[in-house]
Amino acid sequence: MRAPFKPSETVDFVVIGSGAAGGSVAKELAVAGFSVVVLEQGPYYREKDFTHDEMKFNFNSPLMNDTKVQPQTFRRTEEETAKAQRSVGYGRQVGGGTVHFAANYWRFHELDFNERTIWGEIPGTGFADWPITYAELEPYYTKAEYDVGVSGLAGANPFEGPRSKPYPLPPMPVKSSGVLFERGAKKLGLHPFPAPVAVISKDFRGRVACVHCGFCARFGCEVGAKSSSLATVIPMALHTGLCEVRADAYVRKIETGANGRVTGAIYFDKNRKEIFQKARAAVVCANGAETPRLLLMSKSNRFPDGLANSSGLVGKYLMFDVGSTAQAVFEHPLNDYKSIEVTRLIHDYYAADPKRGFYGGAGIDARFNSNPLLFGLRGMPRDMPQWGAEFKQNLGEYFTRSMTSMSHATCLPLEGNSISLDPELKDAWGLPSMRVTFKLHPDDVKNQHFILARQREILEAAGAKKVWDNGVWDVSGSVHLMGTCRMGNDPVKSVTDKYNRAHDVPNLFIVDGSSFVTSGRQQPTGTIQALAYRAADFIAKSAKAGAV
């Protein structure tokens, strides 16, 4: 096999990030015959490195960014002084967030791409249509689902857009939470359906099926059944002999020449030695927070406000994963801690409805998103003793008899919500830390209250003995990072075109959640990956035609 490459060797593409987008882009470009170097800031774990150590993976979070070396600051408005705190979370290893995610793998709906036209203007927001349609993206949704292995049931969701092919694998077995959720939802006239998940329900392309261990979210999969980039597209890319993955490569700047074109990327290796990798083009897939940070750090005489930022919109219109949870305890044991988190959900409240008096919608799922230690610390109702003999007795009952309903709601794009460079705080490499500015739009808050009431209704209809929730809170940090380099047809109002090419730099592509125009109803991984396949298709064809 040909790889690895020398930094002094000019490769066709340098891909920054190796998650859902970066892994897919690297695979597609390498298969198309191009030389590719992937720079991943985190380590390269293998399946043998993943265990069920709850303390390690729930609390030390080795699969996530570490704010001890990459501190962040947060403020609600630009008028506030930003304070140091953890605000955004993302995967930091080869495979990115797909290594530890819960593996929900929804498609966006047709309405998500032209919702501004459907709904109209929302004052104070950057609410806009996407420059692409669901129909344009659909073949790439299918491509992604078949490449990585997604389990689901086509046609079961009555609100989903048209599909060109069924899912490659049948849905995962329903859990007790799914059975009860389905019972309650149907009593209310709703339409529950099997959750599409990036976990293989049967052996698939040399990978073994899920063993239902119950350690999915926050944990890596020790058998490779979770369809992460690490287990799927990264090995495909390496198999070509044209792709090299460099772990522990912390990129500090995308370099450009006098003509304004990308010439490569400067990064620190594991020993913090600075290295310049030459490349004919760059694809930035670092996530919706690190991508704008990198672009803003990549200043030059030609790009004094940051690379690809003539619009001034790099870092703007940040959207988060927002939603609420309701929990319930039932008479009989559910033992829902086994297997994957989610097996049933509804999209009945997905579309915004003017009758509600505000914009917003959500998907609602049934799950058990805890492990024994985490449940004991955070899973019990707050109106019950949190310590002592009574707590111990209640814990023994509640852990086996409880389930959770989680909503995944809209988050409106506000120009004031942003990722920027903190003027004072530095990371362990001496680079400007990430400053997060975020405040929910009033409609987002109203929507969450509405959806939380629907969650409680479903659990009560399912026969719960007790239902409780932690209310709706103002978000000060999250995951599912979207919108900070939005795509569009107008270079004044967007950062990239509809193929994820930067308006300002013809050989720079920005391919991850940052290109999102609206948030959908969260669960962005499937759409991120579909966009990556679409962008890679365009990049490969353009490069072969000499247009990159």
Side-chain angles (χ1 to χ4, degrees):
M1 301 177 76
R2 169 63 179 82
F5 303 97
K6 296 179 180 179
S8 59
E9 188 175 354
T10 304
V11 296
D12 293 320
F13 294 96
V14 59
V15 176
I16 302 168
S18 63
S24 301
V25 167
K27 175 259 180 181
E28 288 292 280
L29 294 178
V31 168
F34 297 100
S35 54
V36 180
V37 168
V38 179
L39 301 177
E40 166 56 52
Q41 65 170 265
Y44 200 153
Y45 294 122
R46 303 319 199 270
E47 290 167 0
K48 63 179 177 59
D49 298 310
F50 303 133
T51 68
H52 296 171
D53 186 332
E54 292 185 60
M55 184 63 73
K56 177 179 179 180
F57 289 98
N58 279 326
F59 298 100
N60 296 333
S61 302
L63 304 180
M64 300 281 286
N65 53 307
D66 183 356
T67 54
K68 293 185 180 68
V69 294
Q70 293 174 288
Q72 306 165 356
T73 60
F74 178 82
R75 59 186 184 177
R76 297 213 177 276
T77 66
E78 293 181 359
E79 289 71 35
E80 291 183 15
T81 300
K83 298 180 181 179
Q85 69 174 63
R86 184 182 184 89
S87 297
V88 300
Y90 53 85
R92 191 178 185 275
Q93 62 274 316
V94 175
T98 64
V99 172
H100 66 263
F101 75 152
N104 286 304
Y105 208 85
W106 310 350
R107 294 182 176 198
F108 275 20
H109 291 201
E110 290 178 288
L111 65 84
D112 284 313
F113 298 92
N114 67 335
E115 204 170 12
R116 168 65 171 79
T117 295
I118 295 171
W119 183 268
E121 180 185 4
I122 301 177
T125 76
F127 196 46
D129 288 341
W130 291 55
I132 62 173
T133 65
Y134 174 86
E136 291 177 77
L137 196 56
E138 197 284 329
Y140 300 100
Y141 275 122
T142 299
K143 172 74 170 172
E145 289 165 358
Y146 275 76
D147 254 18
V148 305
V150 175
S151 301
L153 182 61
N157 178 5
F159 307 102
E160 188 179 47
R163 301 179 59 90
S164 56
K165 294 174 71 174
Y167 288 101
L169 293 158
M172 292 287 287
V174 64
K175 302 204 303 178
S176 298
S177 59
V179 172
L180 292 167
F181 183 83
E182 189 165 307
R183 175 196 298 172
K186 286 185 174 179
K187 279 186 179 180
L188 298 173
L190 306 175
H191 302 82
F193 61 94
V197 292
V199 178
I200 55 175
S201 56
K202 291 185 176 181
D203 292 357
F204 184 74
R205 295 187 177 180
R207 295 160 53 212
V208 298
C210 177
V211 296
H212 308 284
C213 68
F215 289 82
C216 228
R218 301 176 299 277
F219 294 82
C221 182
E222 69 268 33
V223 300
K226 189 187 294 187
S227 298
S228 65
S229 295
L230 178 68
T232 59
V233 288
I234 292 292
M236 295 179 198
L238 297 176
H239 184 71
T240 66
L242 293 172
C243 178
E244 178 189 356
V245 175
R246 290 185 197 157
D248 301 301
Y250 192 45
V251 181
R252 74 163 184 85
K253 186 179 183 181
I254 300 168
E255 194 66 271
T256 52
N259 61 358
R261 293 176 62 86
V262 169
T263 58
I266 303 171
Y267 68 94
F268 293 106
D269 70 6
K270 191 172 185 177
N271 299 316
R272 302 198 179 181
K273 177 184 177 182
E274 192 170 277
I275 298 172
F276 175 56
Q277 174 60 57
K278 294 183 178 180
R280 296 181 178 87
V283 188
V284 186
C285 310
N287 73 53
E290 286 288 8
T291 285
R293 175 176 177 247
L294 176 59
L295 294 173
L296 292 171
M297 289 194 298
S298 298
K299 297 179 180 179
S300 65
N301 290 335
R302 190 181 181 98
F303 301 104
D305 298 318
L307 190 60
N309 196 28
S310 66
S311 65
L313 295 179
V314 168
K316 302 292 183 68
Y317 298 113
L318 171 67
M319 295 175 287
F320 271 162
D321 176 7
V322 298
S324 51
T325 59
Q327 292 172 262
V329 65
F330 290 81
E331 180 181 358
H332 301 291
L334 310 183
N335 296 324
D336 219 60
Y337 55 87
K338 299 177 181 179
S339 194
I340 64 171
E341 287 204 358
V342 180
T343 60
R344 288 295 184 274
L345 69 148
I346 60 167
H347 280 178
D348 292 79
Y349 303 109
Y350 193 101
D353 186 347
K355 294 178 183 177
R356 299 173 194 160
F358 54 85
Y359 166 79
I364 302 174
D365 68 37
R367 62 171 63 202
F368 188 83
N369 61 339
S370 199
N371 311 114
L373 180 59
L374 201 60
F375 189 88
L377 292 172
R378 302 175 183 173
M380 298 290 287
R382 296 294 99 182
D383 62 355
M384 298 174 66
Q386 301 298 304
W387 190 256
E390 189 176 349
F391 167 78
K392 183 178 179 180
Q393 180 179 346
N394 291 334
L395 180 61
E397 176 186 352
Y398 273 65
F399 180 68
T400 57
R401 289 172 167 80
S402 294
M403 63 168 283
T404 297
S405 168
M406 181 175 285
S407 67
H408 310 275
T410 46
C411 181
L412 280 161
L414 309 182
E415 187 172 355
N417 289 345
S418 67
I419 299 292
S420 56
L421 303 180
D422 193 277
E424 299 177 4
L425 190 63
K426 306 293 182 184
D427 68 11
W429 293 262
L431 302 175
S433 290
M434 181 188 303
R435 180 175 60 187
V436 181
T437 306
F438 189 86
K439 185 177 182 180
L440 286 172
H441 187 275
D443 277 20
D444 292 332
V445 179
K446 293 175 183 176
N447 182 51
Q448 287 189 65
H449 281 289
F450 169 79
I451 295 298
L452 182 56
R454 307 290 79 74
Q455 293 171 258
R456 294 185 64 103
E457 286 175 356
I458 294 170
L459 292 172
E460 288 163 1
K465 289 173 56 180
K466 178 184 177 73
V467 178
W468 69 97
D469 64 70
N470 294 317
V472 172
W473 58 92
D474 203 357
V475 176
S476 61
S478 192
V479 294
H480 296 175
L481 311 167
M482 300 168 285
T484 50
C485 297
R486 58 165 42 185
M487 61 164 58
N489 295 322
D490 187 348
V492 175
K493 298 179 180 179
S494 57
V495 178
T496 80
D497 67 14
K498 66 179 185 178
Y499 294 107
N500 294 85
R501 190 203 296 253
H503 288 302
D504 298 349
V505 187
N507 65 338
L508 173 66
F509 298 84
I510 301 166
V511 188
D512 52 29
S514 66
S515 69
F516 281 33
V517 181
T518 56
S519 67
R521 277 63 178 162
Q522 310 306 326
Q523 303 309 336
T525 307
T527 301
I528 289 172
Q529 211 146 18
L531 287 169
Y533 276 93
R534 182 174 182 271
D537 187 20
F538 172 80
I539 295 168
K541 289 175 179 176
S542 299
K544 288 178 180 178
V548 171

